[in-house]
Amino acid sequence: MNALVIDTFEFCRTNSSQQGVTPVVEMTRLAKECADKSGEITWNAVGTTHKLGIPQMTLSVSGNVQLVCQRCLQPYAHHLDSSTVLMLGKDDEDADEIEERIDDESIDVIVGSRSMELMYLVEDEALLALPQSPRHDVCPDSSLLDKAKSEKISPFDALKSLKSE
């Protein structure tokens, strides 16, 4: 993954922005969660300052990744589309204070850094956008699942077959 290191506080203070497209194969943590490493993530990061004077960054990701359906165990294309607002604290204590002050569940507060790898944040956002239990809306071929359901073997029959061996 391209190392794009930013000073998060300066990035927000100067209302900077960065955007790009990164192949899934370059995002090792995301690639581990996918059925294959095809696809790419389009991302956008915009720094601003909140009306309370707190540095904040809006981070957006979108793209298609291949996941494994938990119902039929077949790969399928899943579309990611997520955006989050990150407020930056100077340290853990400052981040905790900001969380209490804003009292907004939709905003995440993190500890900022003078040298943060932006792609790490982008990959985090993509990982958080993945479904907890990936599934097709309608599985394309449920014949294997139907067959497994209809051919349920009694536990006693299974034990009997072990005894006869």
Side-chain angles (χ1 to χ4, degrees), residues 1 27-30 119-127:
M1 203 162 27
M27 298 179 163
T28 53
R29 295 178 296 141
L30 178 62
M119 292 310 300
Y120 189 81
L121 290 176
V122 169
E123 188 172 14
D124 278 352
E125 184 60 24
L127 284 164

Side-chain angles (χ1 to χ4, degrees), residues 55-57 83-89 95 98-99 102 104-110 125 128:
Q56 72 179 19
M57 186 183 306
S83 183
T84 192
V85 175
L86 303 171
M87 285 191 161
L88 308 174
I98 292 170
E99 256 181 0
I102 60 168
D104 186 344
E105 295 285 323
S106 68
I107 297 175
D108 293 320
V109 181
I110 64 170
E125 184 60 24
L128 290 169

Side-chain angles (χ1 to χ4, degrees), residues 37-53:
K37 297 175 177 156
S38 65
E40 53 190 25
I41 302 297
T42 302
W43 56 271
N44 188 29
V46 178
T48 57
T49 302
H50 187 270
K51 63 185 175 191
L52 296 174

Side-chain angles (χ1 to χ4, degrees), residues 61-89:
V61 295
S62 66
N64 288 317
V65 294
Q66 294 294 315
L67 300 178
V68 175
C69 174
Q70 297 300 300
R71 258 190 236 128
C72 68
L73 302 178
Q74 297 299 311
Y76 77 102
H78 179 78
H79 182 72
L80 296 179
D81 190 10
S82 179
S83 183
T84 192
V85 175
L86 303 171
M87 285 191 161
L88 308 174

Side-chain angles (χ1 to χ4, degrees), residues 125-139:
E125 184 60 24
L127 284 164
L128 290 169
L130 292 175
Q132 278 188 337
S133 181
R135 296 184 196 154
H136 288 104
D137 290 331
V138 175
C139 292

